[in-house]
Amino acid sequence: MNDEQLLRYGRQIMLPQVDVAGQQRLLDSSVIIFGIGGLGSPVALYLAASGVGEIVVVDDDSVDLTNLQRQIIHSSKRLGQLKVKSAAEAIGSLNPETRVSIIADRISGEELNKHIQQADVVIDATDNLASRLEINQQCYTTRTPLVSASAVRWEGQLTVFDSRLNNSPCYQCFYGSMGEVGQSCSENGVMGPVVGMLGCMQANEAIKLLTGAGNSLAGRVLMLDALNMDWQYVRLERDPACPVCGK
């Protein structure tokens, strides 16, 4: 690292769990973010700010006026622009050192597998079940850690699926045993800071995975009721009958 990088990331380097070695791991890392909306916005900004070397952003949507209440990476000036281009512009303004690759499409199959295999951590910030299940399948196949969150109204949930760990469950286990936050934001609404809180925590979990700091949420689901400001943990075990990770 040069002097400017040591100054930029100095507050993180001071942390004994990060130090110079951990910061270098961030600079050398690659993260792929699926969905650059309410969750993906703070994830992308905080990962770029922390010094993640490469961020791949995947989203096929364009910036709409209804997005701006919670999708803080976008702006009124970029209405109608592809979200991935808007995000790349914001990331570049925040940290020009972070390399940004954009994919303005919903990728699947072999292409999805290829991009996930090239990443150190995957962020699931999507808003539909089909995408979540396919991303989970490819993360399990490639043994790539997956940080997943969802939110609606005043409620949300966050967890990590890390198939590198023995007996770690996957998203299919979670969906099969508990279900997900079922309704969409467009049908039920969502409070902007709720997705912001969860997105920030997704970024924090990703940084921990990349640096090796602390303990991840693997095997636990963090549930948020922001209306009453209540946090709860739920233990999640691997389902032996899971079609993805079960035996």
Side-chain angles (χ1 to χ4, degrees):
M1 279 180 283
N2 56 40
D3 289 344
E4 184 175 333
Q5 289 173 316
L6 290 170
L7 183 61
R8 177 186 283 266
Y9 308 119
R11 298 299 189 275
Q12 286 178 181
I13 293 172
M14 291 170 64
L15 298 172
Q17 300 86 353
V18 178
D19 207 348
V20 173
Q23 186 60 54
Q24 189 61 57
R25 283 194 286 272
L26 290 174
L27 293 168
D28 295 338
S29 67
S30 176
V31 175
I32 186 166
I33 303 173
F34 291 96
I36 195 69
L39 292 166
S41 290
V43 174
L45 292 172
Y46 271 108
L47 291 184
S50 72
V52 168
E54 180 183 31
I55 296 176
V56 181
V57 184
V58 185
D59 199 306
D60 65 345
D61 203 2
S62 299
V63 181
D64 182 84
L65 184 61
T66 60
N67 301 148
L68 301 183
Q69 163 257 358
R70 63 200 178 281
Q71 300 182 16
I72 58 172
I73 203 167
H74 310 302
S75 71
S76 297
K77 293 182 179 179
R78 298 199 287 273
L79 287 172
Q81 189 173 353
L82 285 169
K83 285 185 178 180
V84 290
K85 291 186 176 180
S86 172
E89 184 177 331
I91 292 169
S93 296
L94 178 62
N95 190 351
E97 291 186 345
T98 297
R99 304 180 303 280
V100 185
S101 300
I102 61 175
I103 302 173
D105 197 5
R106 292 194 180 191
I107 58 176
S108 61
E110 291 183 5
E111 186 179 8
L112 178 63
N113 179 280
K114 179 187 72 174
H115 285 288
I116 286 178
Q117 199 164 28
Q118 294 171 349
D120 297 300
V121 169
V122 173
I123 303 292
D124 181 357
T126 60
D127 58 2
N128 70 89
L129 179 59
S131 295
R132 289 179 178 275
L133 292 175
E134 186 171 13
I135 290 167
N136 171 73
Q137 171 73 67
Q138 298 296 351
C139 284
Y140 181 77
T141 300
T142 60
R143 299 296 189 266
T144 308
L146 170 62
V147 184
S148 178
S150 60
V152 69
R153 298 182 297 266
W154 298 82
E155 305 142 28
Q157 54 200 23
L158 168 74
T159 189
V160 170
F161 303 108
D162 192 347
S163 55
R164 301 172 303 175
L165 303 176
N166 292 332
N167 299 320
S168 175
C170 73
Y171 185 82
Q172 184 74 54
C173 300
F174 177 51
Y175 174 70
S177 65
M178 295 185 61
E180 65 169 18
V181 176
Q183 301 85 9
S184 68
C185 296
S186 61
E187 295 170 334
N188 292 269
V190 66
M191 180 53 65
V194 173
V195 287
M197 292 164 68
L198 290 162
C200 288
M201 295 177 74
Q202 278 186 285
N204 191 63
E205 288 299 303
I207 290 169
K208 286 160 56 182
L209 288 166
L210 294 168
T211 61
N215 298 309
S216 80
L217 275 170
R220 296 177 294 160
V221 182
L222 182 60
M223 318 287 288
L224 168 64
D225 172 4
L227 193 58
N228 298 297
M229 198 42 66
D230 181 35
W231 297 91
Q232 294 185 6
Y233 284 102
V234 177
R235 290 283 177 184
L236 181 63
E237 303 290 338
R238 176 178 285 186
D239 180 3
C242 174
V244 175
C245 69
K247 297 180 179 180

